[in-house]
């Protein structure tokens, strides 16, 4: 594999004069974390003193982190319904500040029989052409009886073979294992095959066939066919592999006023319940809230019900880029006698100079997943995702976010996103939220301004008796901090007290433009995200950030 270079903002050889405002801002965050230069390129091997400082103290002492920005859901000419070449996508990702990305092409026989190997050659070429980016090869898996997932592996000699073997043996579309309606003859078999698939991936990792592999559920409530019990079954099959779901889908440009039509919804969440949908979801679950999936946006809802069991389940956001809004490229024409099934690759696109249909933004243009790492590299990104050191934003709302929960009697750094802090009943704690405001206009030309930070707290009650339950009745917004007008880097200090039972805290915030009572009522969420009117969902005017939780385990 081509020698990897640090991103420009992390490379001491790149002059600050050659960075834009956000690059300068990110470099400052990296310096404050003590990870600049060799410390970031080589990790603790280059800095033994730093490694020693990471030893966990009595209440938790997580390391300082640098956050790499990425997108795990990008398509190219190797997906039957997409358009762009690898070089177009990688160039756009670099322009919009992505450090890592996953090409997860749709599964089908053309891809499995032809495209995957051809794609890998282009992946290798793209890595060589873009040495400051981490470019993963992945697959968009059609889950038997359910929706889609991103599956991706660490680079290595078997990354493509793993994906191809998995696609042929476990893909619901290729096998005809799509039935998932309640009571249908094949539903139980199909759901069991999905669980078997995740266990198979876990075994490939345990055996060393690949260094690492991860799975993330895509657009979970778009069709309502990912039932709560299926999400739990996938997670429980191998929680180190099936790590979470898209908190917000791609296709965020779908409802730009006047663009696609009067019924358009952000994320292309424009469906109604069908026979395949899980009957327990309300009709309100089929649209997005501030661009986020109902499962994530509902305080006390499905995501919280899984967190309340006491285990980590991460969220992400991404572009799902197939066709960029206002872009002028169209698909090229097929040569006579060829199609996707025979080639596994679309013809390269052709520029028309006329805007073409589309719902998506370029990778990194609007949706960003930030992953906390202690060094730069492929496996570090995957380890950060697995550890849950993740926060997400839309519209480049923030430059930086660092979250810590500390025992007041402990001088250490405390525990960060995805982590666990052990405390005694009644102990005094503090939640430290360090925000770095946006330093430059976003791609829409708007300088984003964070208006508020919401603290969401939920009790941890352990495994649920009803695996189709989607309520966490003890989760609610417990505090809102008005941060309007605050600039630069600042820290919010929020007191917490450990009660009788374990709990978690997570964060959310927005530009303050659109609020309303949450789906479960104002007593639970007084000013949460709300749906937009069909056809009138300007994404740049309603931007949010969300963080993964920090768990606090009360020991008595």
């Amino acid at each position: 594999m081509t020698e990897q270079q640090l991103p420009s903002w992390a490379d001491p050889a790149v002059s600050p004069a050659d960075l834009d405002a956000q690059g300068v801002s990110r470099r400052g965050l990296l310096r404050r974390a003590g990870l600049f230069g060799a410390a970031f390129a080589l990790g603790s091997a280059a800095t033994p003193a730093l490694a020693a400082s990471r030893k966990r103290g009595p209440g938790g002492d997580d390391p300082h982190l640098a956050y790499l920005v990425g997108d795990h859901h990008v398509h190219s000419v190797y997906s039957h319904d997409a358009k762009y070449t690898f070089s177009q996508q990688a160039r756009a990702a670099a322009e919009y500040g992505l450090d890592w990305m996953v090409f997860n092409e749709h599964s089908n026989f053309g891809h499995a029989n032809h495209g995957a190997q051809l794609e890998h050659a282009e992946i290798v070429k793209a890595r060589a052409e873009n040495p400051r980016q981490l470019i993963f090869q992945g697959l968009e898996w059609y889950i038997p009886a359910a929706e889609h997932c991103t599956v991706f592996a660490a680079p290595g000699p078997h990354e493509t073979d793993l994906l191809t073997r998995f696609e042929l043996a476990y893909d619901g579309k290729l096998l005809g294992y799509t039935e998932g309606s309640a009571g249908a003859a094949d539903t139980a078999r199909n759901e069991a095959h999905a669980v078997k698939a995740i266990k198979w991936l876990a075994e490939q990792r345990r055996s060393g066939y690949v260094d690492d592999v991860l799975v993330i559920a895509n657009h979970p409530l778009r069709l309502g066919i990912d039932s709560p019990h299926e999400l739990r079954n996938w997670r429980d099959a191998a929680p180190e592999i099936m790590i979470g779901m898209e908190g917000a889908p791609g296709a965020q440009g779908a409802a730009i006023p006047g663009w696609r039509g009067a019924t358009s919804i952000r994320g292309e969440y424009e469906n109604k319940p069908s026979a395949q949908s899980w009957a327990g979801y309300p009709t309100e679950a089929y649209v997005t809230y501030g661009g986020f999936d109902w499962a994530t946006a509902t305080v006390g809802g499905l995501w919280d019900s899984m967190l309340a069991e006491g285990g980590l389940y991460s969220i992400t956001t991404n572009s799902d880029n197939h066709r960029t809004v206002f872009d002028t490229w169209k698909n090229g024409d097929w040569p006579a006698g060829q199609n996707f099934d025979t080639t596994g690759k679309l013809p390269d696109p052709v520029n028309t100079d006329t805007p073409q249909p589309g719902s998506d933004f370029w990778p990194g243009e609007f949706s960003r997943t930030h992953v906390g790492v202690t060094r730069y590299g492929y496996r570090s990104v995957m380890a950060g995702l697995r550890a849950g050191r993740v926060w997400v934003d839309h519209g480049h709302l923030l430059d930086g976010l660092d979250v810590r929960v500390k025992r007041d009697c402990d001088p250490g750094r405390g525990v960060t996103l995805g982590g666990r802090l052990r405390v005694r009943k009644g102990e005094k704690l503090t939640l430290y939220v360090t925000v770095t405001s946006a330093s430059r206009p976003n791609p829409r030309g708007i300088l984003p301004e964070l208006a508020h930070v919401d603290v969401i707290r939920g009790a941890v009650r352990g495994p649920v008796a009803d695996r189709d339950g989607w309520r966490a009745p003890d989760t609610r917004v417990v505090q809102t901090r008005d941060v309007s007008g605050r600039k630069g880097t600042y820290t919010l200090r929020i007191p917490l007290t450990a009660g009788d039972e374990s709990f978690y805290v997570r964060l959310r915030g927005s530009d303050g433009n659109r609020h309303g009572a949450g789906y479960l009522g104002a007593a639970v969420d007084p000013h949460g995200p709300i749906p937009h009117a069909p056809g009138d969902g300007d994404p740049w005017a309603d931007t949010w950030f969300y963080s993964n939780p920090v768990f606090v385990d009360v020991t008595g």
Side-chain angles (χ1 to χ4, degrees):
M1 190 169 64
T2 304
E3 182 179 354
Q4 201 67 46
Q5 297 179 28
L6 289 173
S8 297
W9 56 272
D11 189 344
V14 177
S15 168
D18 294 328
L19 302 176
D20 65 14
Q22 194 167 92
V24 172
S25 177
R26 296 186 73 191
R27 179 171 289 192
L29 293 172
L30 190 66
R31 285 186 181 278
R32 284 195 286 276
L35 295 173
F36 192 54
F40 195 38
L42 302 175
S44 59
T47 53
L50 181 62
S53 74
R54 291 176 183 150
K55 293 178 180 177
R56 193 176 282 273
D61 196 13
D62 279 357
H64 291 297
L65 300 172
Y67 279 88
L68 298 179
V69 183
D71 185 330
H72 69 81
H73 194 165
V74 180
H75 294 272
S76 78
V77 289
Y78 290 95
S79 285
H80 66 278
D81 58 351
K83 181 165 58 173
Y84 304 110
T85 64
F86 276 38
S87 61
Q88 285 176 298
Q89 295 283 32
R91 186 165 57 248
E95 178 183 351
Y96 294 115
L98 286 195
D99 304 308
W100 61 272
M101 62 191 300
V102 181
F103 284 99
N104 67 328
E105 313 297 354
H106 284 291
S107 61
N108 48 53
F109 286 112
H111 180 262
N113 294 333
H114 308 287
Q117 288 295 336
L118 295 172
E119 177 194 349
H120 182 68
E122 290 214 43
I123 287 274
V124 172
K125 179 182 176 184
R127 288 169 180 162
E129 291 176 345
N130 301 277
R132 295 190 189 276
Q133 288 180 314
L134 304 171
I135 300 176
F136 293 89
Q137 182 171 1
L139 172 75
E140 186 155 25
W141 173 37
Y142 289 67
I143 314 164
E147 257 278 9
H148 301 167
C149 277
T150 292
V151 181
F152 68 104
H158 301 301
E159 59 182 312
T160 306
D161 290 342
L162 172 92
L163 296 171
T164 301
R165 291 170 60 195
F166 179 82
E167 185 174 5
L168 291 170
Y170 295 108
D171 188 78
K173 183 171 72 172
L174 271 58
L175 296 173
Y177 281 19
T178 57
E179 180 62 64
S181 57
D186 292 336
T187 296
R189 176 202 65 184
N190 296 347
E191 290 187 4
H193 202 67
V195 170
K196 183 179 178 182
I198 294 168
K199 290 182 176 179
W200 182 84
L201 289 173
E203 178 55 33
Q204 307 318 301
R205 179 173 180 259
R206 279 193 297 269
S207 71
Y209 185 70
V210 289
D211 287 338
D212 208 350
V213 61
L214 293 175
V215 180
I216 301 169
N218 295 340
H219 35 72
L221 267 293
R222 182 182 64 169
L223 300 172
I225 60 177
D226 288 2
S227 65
H229 75 262
E230 287 174 286
L231 289 168
R232 288 185 166 97
N233 288 346
W234 306 334
R235 174 201 64 189
D236 293 348
E240 76 280 13
I241 302 297
M242 179 66 188
I243 60 169
M245 64 183 181
E246 289 181 357
Q252 288 287 321
I256 292 173
W259 179 235
R260 287 179 66 246
T263 61
S264 301
I265 301 292
R266 283 173 69 177
E268 294 186 354
Y269 272 43
E270 298 157 8
N271 304 287
K272 304 298 181 186
S274 71
Q276 297 294 316
S277 303
W278 182 66
Y281 290 134
T283 56
E284 294 86 351
Y286 289 79
V287 298
T288 51
Y289 293 70
F292 278 72
D293 190 292
W294 176 87
T296 297
T298 300
V299 175
L302 180 53
W303 184 34
D304 284 316
S305 77
M306 299 181 73
L307 298 178
E309 294 182 70
L312 179 64
Y313 196 70
S314 290
I315 59 164
T316 62
T317 187
N318 55 80
S319 65
D320 193 4
N321 185 276
H322 292 74
R323 299 172 183 274
T324 302
V325 291
F326 309 126
D327 184 56
T328 59
W329 293 75
K330 74 175 186 70
N331 288 104
D333 296 324
W334 286 104
Q338 292 187 8
N339 58 43
F340 196 88
D341 286 339
T342 61
T343 65
K345 178 182 181 293
L346 296 169
D348 284 352
V350 177
N351 194 3
T352 68
D353 295 323
T354 302
Q356 300 294 302
S359 298
D360 311 325
F361 290 106
W362 290 112
E365 183 179 4
F366 183 76
S367 303
R368 304 189 301 177
T369 295
H370 306 254
V371 180
V373 301
T374 56
R375 64 167 297 182
Y376 184 69
Y378 286 92
R379 282 184 285 179
S380 295
V381 168
M382 299 182 81
L385 286 165
R386 177 175 289 110
R389 292 171 172 170
V390 173
W391 63 275
V392 304
D393 73 339
H394 281 167
H396 297 221
L397 183 57
L398 303 177
D399 274 8
L401 182 72
D402 187 76
V403 180
R404 305 275 162 169
V405 178
K406 289 175 51 177
R407 300 160 66 232
D408 288 357
C409 62
D410 188 342
R413 283 190 297 276
V415 170
T416 192
L417 301 175
R420 314 190 76 92
L421 181 68
R422 291 173 59 87
V423 304
R424 294 189 177 277
K425 175 182 173 181
E427 270 200 273
K428 301 297 184 182
L429 317 170
T430 299
L431 168 64
Y432 295 86
V433 182
T434 300
V435 174
T436 301
S437 66
S439 58
R440 66 172 182 182
N442 63 25
R444 183 66 175 83
I446 299 166
L447 178 62
E449 296 187 20
L450 182 66
H452 64 97
V453 174
D454 301 330
V455 181
I456 299 165
R457 176 169 173 163
V460 170
R461 296 288 171 77
V464 293
D466 177 8
R467 293 181 68 80
D468 271 327
W470 61 263
R471 294 282 299 272
D474 296 298
T475 300
R476 56 187 29 82
V477 176
V478 295
Q479 190 168 156
T480 293
R481 291 287 183 93
D482 185 344
V483 296
S484 300
R486 300 192 70 170
K487 304 292 184 183
T489 297
Y490 56 89
T491 299
L492 307 176
R493 295 167 177 83
I494 300 164
L496 302 172
T497 300
D500 294 333
E501 57 188 346
S502 299
F503 66 96
Y504 64 90
V505 289
R506 62 180 181 89
L507 301 172
R508 181 191 70 185
S510 83
D511 56 18
N513 288 331
R514 301 188 76 242
H515 293 104
Y519 177 74
L520 295 177
V524 172
D525 185 6
H527 48 262
I530 57 177
H532 62 77
D536 188 17
D538 180 356
W540 301 101
D542 185 19
T543 57
W544 293 75
F545 86 84
Y546 283 69
S547 84
N548 260 350
V550 179
F551 291 91
V552 179
D553 297 327
V554 179
T555 60

PDB file of all heavy atoms in Angstrom, residues 221-242:
ATOM      1  N   LEU A 221     -34.877   3.874   9.478  1.00  0.00           N
ATOM      2  CA  LEU A 221     -36.336   4.033   9.500  1.00  0.00           C
ATOM      3  C   LEU A 221     -36.895   4.536   8.177  1.00  0.00           C
ATOM      4  O   LEU A 221     -38.081   4.888   8.096  1.00  0.00           O
ATOM      5  CB  LEU A 221     -36.743   4.977  10.637  1.00  0.00           C
ATOM      6  CG  LEU A 221     -37.096   4.314  11.973  1.00  0.00           C
ATOM      7  CD1 LEU A 221     -38.371   3.490  11.861  1.00  0.00           C
ATOM      8  CD2 LEU A 221     -35.973   3.488  12.520  1.00  0.00           C
ATOM      9  N   ARG A 222     -36.090   4.529   7.130  1.00  0.00           N
ATOM     10  CA  ARG A 222     -36.562   5.027   5.840  1.00  0.00           C
ATOM     11  C   ARG A 222     -37.790   4.263   5.350  1.00  0.00           C
ATOM     12  O   ARG A 222     -38.750   4.850   4.847  1.00  0.00           O
ATOM     13  CB  ARG A 222     -35.440   4.935   4.799  1.00  0.00           C
ATOM     14  CG  ARG A 222     -35.822   5.462   3.434  1.00  0.00           C
ATOM     15  CD  ARG A 222     -34.685   5.305   2.449  1.00  0.00           C
ATOM     16  NE  ARG A 222     -34.360   3.902   2.203  1.00  0.00           N
ATOM     17  CZ  ARG A 222     -33.548   3.474   1.229  1.00  0.00           C
ATOM     18  NH1 ARG A 222     -32.944   4.364   0.454  1.00  0.00           N
ATOM     19  NH2 ARG A 222     -33.299   2.196   1.056  1.00  0.00           N
ATOM     20  N   LEU A 223     -37.761   2.962   5.493  1.00  0.00           N
ATOM     21  CA  LEU A 223     -38.871   2.106   5.076  1.00  0.00           C
ATOM     22  C   LEU A 223     -39.596   1.473   6.255  1.00  0.00           C
ATOM     23  O   LEU A 223     -40.616   0.812   6.061  1.00  0.00           O
ATOM     24  CB  LEU A 223     -38.362   0.991   4.147  1.00  0.00           C
ATOM     25  CG  LEU A 223     -37.686   1.445   2.852  1.00  0.00           C
ATOM     26  CD1 LEU A 223     -37.057   0.246   2.143  1.00  0.00           C
ATOM     27  CD2 LEU A 223     -38.701   2.120   1.936  1.00  0.00           C
ATOM     28  N   GLY A 224     -39.051   1.633   7.458  1.00  0.00           N
ATOM     29  CA  GLY A 224     -39.664   1.020   8.633  1.00  0.00           C
ATOM     30  C   GLY A 224     -39.507  -0.482   8.685  1.00  0.00           C
ATOM     31  O   GLY A 224     -40.246  -1.162   9.413  1.00  0.00           O
ATOM     32  N   ILE A 225     -38.529  -1.022   7.959  1.00  0.00           N
ATOM     33  CA  ILE A 225     -38.394  -2.483   7.902  1.00  0.00           C
ATOM     34  C   ILE A 225     -37.279  -3.011   8.807  1.00  0.00           C
ATOM     35  O   ILE A 225     -37.093  -4.229   8.893  1.00  0.00           O
ATOM     36  CB  ILE A 225     -38.195  -2.992   6.457  1.00  0.00           C
ATOM     37  CG1 ILE A 225     -36.936  -2.409   5.827  1.00  0.00           C
ATOM     38  CG2 ILE A 225     -39.404  -2.639   5.615  1.00  0.00           C
ATOM     39  CD1 ILE A 225     -36.651  -2.946   4.412  1.00  0.00           C
ATOM     40  N   ASP A 226     -36.547  -2.124   9.478  1.00  0.00           N
ATOM     41  CA  ASP A 226     -35.594  -2.552  10.502  1.00  0.00           C
ATOM     42  C   ASP A 226     -36.322  -2.504  11.842  1.00  0.00           C
ATOM     43  O   ASP A 226     -36.455  -1.447  12.459  1.00  0.00           O
ATOM     44  CB  ASP A 226     -34.379  -1.617  10.558  1.00  0.00           C
ATOM     45  CG  ASP A 226     -33.459  -1.771   9.368  1.00  0.00           C
ATOM     46  OD1 ASP A 226     -33.769  -2.578   8.469  1.00  0.00           O
ATOM     47  OD2 ASP A 226     -32.433  -1.070   9.325  1.00  0.00           O
ATOM     48  N   SER A 227     -36.824  -3.625  12.286  1.00  0.00           N
ATOM     49  CA  SER A 227     -37.581  -3.666  13.538  1.00  0.00           C
ATOM     50  C   SER A 227     -36.635  -3.541  14.728  1.00  0.00           C
ATOM     51  O   SER A 227     -35.435  -3.836  14.618  1.00  0.00           O
ATOM     52  CB  SER A 227     -38.361  -4.979  13.647  1.00  0.00           C
ATOM     53  OG  SER A 227     -37.458  -6.074  13.728  1.00  0.00           O
ATOM     54  N   PRO A 228     -37.132  -3.117  15.892  1.00  0.00           N
ATOM     55  CA  PRO A 228     -36.268  -3.051  17.067  1.00  0.00           C
ATOM     56  C   PRO A 228     -35.598  -4.380  17.399  1.00  0.00           C
ATOM     57  O   PRO A 228     -34.419  -4.405  17.767  1.00  0.00           O
ATOM     58  CB  PRO A 228     -37.222  -2.598  18.172  1.00  0.00           C
ATOM     59  CG  PRO A 228     -38.267  -1.798  17.457  1.00  0.00           C
ATOM     60  CD  PRO A 228     -38.467  -2.516  16.155  1.00  0.00           C
ATOM     61  N   HIS A 229     -36.333  -5.484  17.253  1.00  0.00           N
ATOM     62  CA  HIS A 229     -35.706  -6.764  17.614  1.00  0.00           C
ATOM     63  C   HIS A 229     -34.607  -7.151  16.634  1.00  0.00           C
ATOM     64  O   HIS A 229     -33.604  -7.760  17.022  1.00  0.00           O
ATOM     65  CB  HIS A 229     -36.747  -7.889  17.744  1.00  0.00           C
ATOM     66  CG  HIS A 229     -37.296  -8.411  16.454  1.00  0.00           C
ATOM     67  ND1 HIS A 229     -38.502  -7.995  15.937  1.00  0.00           N
ATOM     68  CD2 HIS A 229     -36.813  -9.334  15.573  1.00  0.00           C
ATOM     69  CE1 HIS A 229     -38.744  -8.640  14.804  1.00  0.00           C
ATOM     70  NE2 HIS A 229     -37.736  -9.442  14.561  1.00  0.00           N
ATOM     71  N   GLU A 230     -34.734  -6.754  15.353  1.00  0.00           N
ATOM     72  CA  GLU A 230     -33.660  -7.035  14.410  1.00  0.00           C
ATOM     73  C   GLU A 230     -32.417  -6.217  14.749  1.00  0.00           C
ATOM     74  O   GLU A 230     -31.294  -6.746  14.735  1.00  0.00           O
ATOM     75  CB  GLU A 230     -34.120  -6.744  12.985  1.00  0.00           C
ATOM     76  CG  GLU A 230     -35.100  -7.770  12.443  1.00  0.00           C
ATOM     77  CD  GLU A 230     -35.638  -7.362  11.091  1.00  0.00           C
ATOM     78  OE1 GLU A 230     -36.475  -6.431  11.034  1.00  0.00           O
ATOM     79  OE2 GLU A 230     -35.223  -7.975  10.085  1.00  0.00           O
ATOM     80  N   LEU A 231     -32.582  -4.922  15.034  1.00  0.00           N
ATOM     81  CA  LEU A 231     -31.437  -4.101  15.424  1.00  0.00           C
ATOM     82  C   LEU A 231     -30.728  -4.705  16.632  1.00  0.00           C
ATOM     83  O   LEU A 231     -29.483  -4.770  16.677  1.00  0.00           O
ATOM     84  CB  LEU A 231     -31.890  -2.681  15.740  1.00  0.00           C
ATOM     85  CG  LEU A 231     -32.342  -1.823  14.549  1.00  0.00           C
ATOM     86  CD1 LEU A 231     -33.033  -0.557  15.041  1.00  0.00           C
ATOM     87  CD2 LEU A 231     -31.182  -1.474  13.640  1.00  0.00           C
ATOM     88  N   ARG A 232     -31.487  -5.160  17.602  1.00  0.00           N
ATOM     89  CA  ARG A 232     -30.885  -5.761  18.797  1.00  0.00           C
ATOM     90  C   ARG A 232     -30.221  -7.096  18.464  1.00  0.00           C
ATOM     91  O   ARG A 232     -29.144  -7.415  18.981  1.00  0.00           O
ATOM     92  CB  ARG A 232     -31.944  -5.947  19.881  1.00  0.00           C
ATOM     93  CG  ARG A 232     -32.402  -4.637  20.520  1.00  0.00           C
ATOM     94  CD  ARG A 232     -33.372  -4.871  21.673  1.00  0.00           C
ATOM     95  NE  ARG A 232     -33.531  -3.658  22.453  1.00  0.00           N
ATOM     96  CZ  ARG A 232     -34.536  -2.782  22.315  1.00  0.00           C
ATOM     97  NH1 ARG A 232     -35.482  -3.008  21.409  1.00  0.00           N
ATOM     98  NH2 ARG A 232     -34.586  -1.696  23.070  1.00  0.00           N
ATOM     99  N   ASN A 233     -30.856  -7.891  17.598  1.00  0.00           N
ATOM    100  CA  ASN A 233     -30.271  -9.189  17.239  1.00  0.00           C
ATOM    101  C   ASN A 233     -28.944  -9.009  16.513  1.00  0.00           C
ATOM    102  O   ASN A 233     -27.977  -9.750  16.770  1.00  0.00           O
ATOM    103  CB  ASN A 233     -31.238  -9.976  16.365  1.00  0.00           C
ATOM    104  CG  ASN A 233     -32.440 -10.496  17.129  1.00  0.00           C
ATOM    105  OD1 ASN A 233     -32.448 -10.494  18.366  1.00  0.00           O
ATOM    106  ND2 ASN A 233     -33.466 -10.926  16.420  1.00  0.00           N
ATOM    107  N   TRP A 234     -28.871  -8.032  15.604  1.00  0.00           N
ATOM    108  CA  TRP A 234     -27.605  -7.786  14.895  1.00  0.00           C
ATOM    109  C   TRP A 234     -26.531  -7.331  15.874  1.00  0.00           C
ATOM    110  O   TRP A 234     -25.403  -7.814  15.836  1.00  0.00           O
ATOM    111  CB  TRP A 234     -27.788  -6.727  13.815  1.00  0.00           C
ATOM    112  CG  TRP A 234     -28.877  -6.994  12.830  1.00  0.00           C
ATOM    113  CD1 TRP A 234     -29.399  -8.212  12.461  1.00  0.00           C
ATOM    114  CD2 TRP A 234     -29.617  -6.014  12.097  1.00  0.00           C
ATOM    115  NE1 TRP A 234     -30.405  -8.041  11.539  1.00  0.00           N
ATOM    116  CE2 TRP A 234     -30.562  -6.713  11.298  1.00  0.00           C
ATOM    117  CE3 TRP A 234     -29.572  -4.624  12.028  1.00  0.00           C
ATOM    118  CZ2 TRP A 234     -31.453  -6.046  10.438  1.00  0.00           C
ATOM    119  CZ3 TRP A 234     -30.445  -3.958  11.176  1.00  0.00           C
ATOM    120  CH2 TRP A 234     -31.375  -4.666  10.389  1.00  0.00           C
ATOM    121  N   ARG A 235     -26.892  -6.401  16.736  1.00  0.00           N
ATOM    122  CA  ARG A 235     -25.927  -5.902  17.732  1.00  0.00           C
ATOM    123  C   ARG A 235     -25.434  -7.038  18.618  1.00  0.00           C
ATOM    124  O   ARG A 235     -24.217  -7.187  18.848  1.00  0.00           O
ATOM    125  CB  ARG A 235     -26.594  -4.822  18.577  1.00  0.00           C
ATOM    126  CG  ARG A 235     -25.757  -4.310  19.730  1.00  0.00           C
ATOM    127  CD  ARG A 235     -26.631  -3.664  20.794  1.00  0.00           C
ATOM    128  NE  ARG A 235     -27.536  -4.638  21.396  1.00  0.00           N
ATOM    129  CZ  ARG A 235     -28.534  -4.336  22.228  1.00  0.00           C
ATOM    130  NH1 ARG A 235     -28.775  -3.071  22.521  1.00  0.00           N
ATOM    131  NH2 ARG A 235     -29.293  -5.286  22.739  1.00  0.00           N
ATOM    132  N   ASP A 236     -26.340  -7.844  19.118  1.00  0.00           N
ATOM    133  CA  ASP A 236     -25.958  -8.886  20.073  1.00  0.00           C
ATOM    134  C   ASP A 236     -25.187 -10.023  19.418  1.00  0.00           C
ATOM    135  O   ASP A 236     -24.461 -10.752  20.096  1.00  0.00           O
ATOM    136  CB  ASP A 236     -27.200  -9.439  20.773  1.00  0.00           C
ATOM    137  CG  ASP A 236     -27.877  -8.409  21.673  1.00  0.00           C
ATOM    138  OD1 ASP A 236     -27.256  -7.348  21.918  1.00  0.00           O
ATOM    139  OD2 ASP A 236     -29.012  -8.655  22.105  1.00  0.00           O
ATOM    140  N   ALA A 237     -25.331 -10.195  18.094  1.00  0.00           N
ATOM    141  CA  ALA A 237     -24.585 -11.248  17.401  1.00  0.00           C
ATOM    142  C   ALA A 237     -23.086 -11.011  17.509  1.00  0.00           C
ATOM    143  O   ALA A 237     -22.308 -11.962  17.666  1.00  0.00           O
ATOM    144  CB  ALA A 237     -24.998 -11.301  15.934  1.00  0.00           C
ATOM    145  N   ALA A 238     -22.671  -9.756  17.458  1.00  0.00           N
ATOM    146  CA  ALA A 238     -21.240  -9.413  17.569  1.00  0.00           C
ATOM    147  C   ALA A 238     -21.144  -7.907  17.755  1.00  0.00           C
ATOM    148  O   ALA A 238     -20.943  -7.167  16.783  1.00  0.00           O
ATOM    149  CB  ALA A 238     -20.463  -9.864  16.336  1.00  0.00           C
ATOM    150  N   PRO A 239     -21.290  -7.414  18.981  1.00  0.00           N
ATOM    151  CA  PRO A 239     -21.286  -5.957  19.188  1.00  0.00           C
ATOM    152  C   PRO A 239     -19.973  -5.283  18.801  1.00  0.00           C
ATOM    153  O   PRO A 239     -19.958  -4.069  18.579  1.00  0.00           O
ATOM    154  CB  PRO A 239     -21.576  -5.807  20.686  1.00  0.00           C
ATOM    155  CG  PRO A 239     -21.313  -7.142  21.283  1.00  0.00           C
ATOM    156  CD  PRO A 239     -21.560  -8.152  20.216  1.00  0.00           C
ATOM    157  N   GLU A 240     -18.892  -6.048  18.691  1.00  0.00           N
ATOM    158  CA  GLU A 240     -17.625  -5.464  18.255  1.00  0.00           C
ATOM    159  C   GLU A 240     -17.586  -5.276  16.739  1.00  0.00           C
ATOM    160  O   GLU A 240     -16.709  -4.596  16.213  1.00  0.00           O
ATOM    161  CB  GLU A 240     -16.459  -6.346  18.697  1.00  0.00           C
ATOM    162  CG  GLU A 240     -16.244  -7.627  17.899  1.00  0.00           C
ATOM    163  CD  GLU A 240     -17.167  -8.783  18.284  1.00  0.00           C
ATOM    164  OE1 GLU A 240     -18.149  -8.552  19.008  1.00  0.00           O
ATOM    165  OE2 GLU A 240     -16.888  -9.926  17.858  1.00  0.00           O
ATOM    166  N   ILE A 241     -18.564  -5.869  16.025  1.00  0.00           N
ATOM    167  CA  ILE A 241     -18.646  -5.764  14.568  1.00  0.00           C
ATOM    168  C   ILE A 241     -19.805  -4.859  14.167  1.00  0.00           C
ATOM    169  O   ILE A 241     -19.641  -3.906  13.410  1.00  0.00           O
ATOM    170  CB  ILE A 241     -18.825  -7.154  13.929  1.00  0.00           C
ATOM    171  CG1 ILE A 241     -17.675  -8.085  14.324  1.00  0.00           C
ATOM    172  CG2 ILE A 241     -18.956  -7.030  12.414  1.00  0.00           C
ATOM    173  CD1 ILE A 241     -16.318  -7.637  13.852  1.00  0.00           C
ATOM    174  N   MET A 242     -20.996  -5.162  14.681  1.00  0.00           N
ATOM    175  CA  MET A 242     -22.188  -4.366  14.376  1.00  0.00           C
ATOM    176  C   MET A 242     -22.273  -3.246  15.403  1.00  0.00           C
ATOM    177  O   MET A 242     -22.820  -3.405  16.490  1.00  0.00           O
ATOM    178  CB  MET A 242     -23.435  -5.249  14.438  1.00  0.00           C
ATOM    179  CG  MET A 242     -24.712  -4.508  14.149  1.00  0.00           C
ATOM    180  SD  MET A 242     -24.723  -3.936  12.447  1.00  0.00           S
ATOM    181  CE  MET A 242     -26.178  -2.922  12.431  1.00  0.00           C
TER     182      MET A 242
END
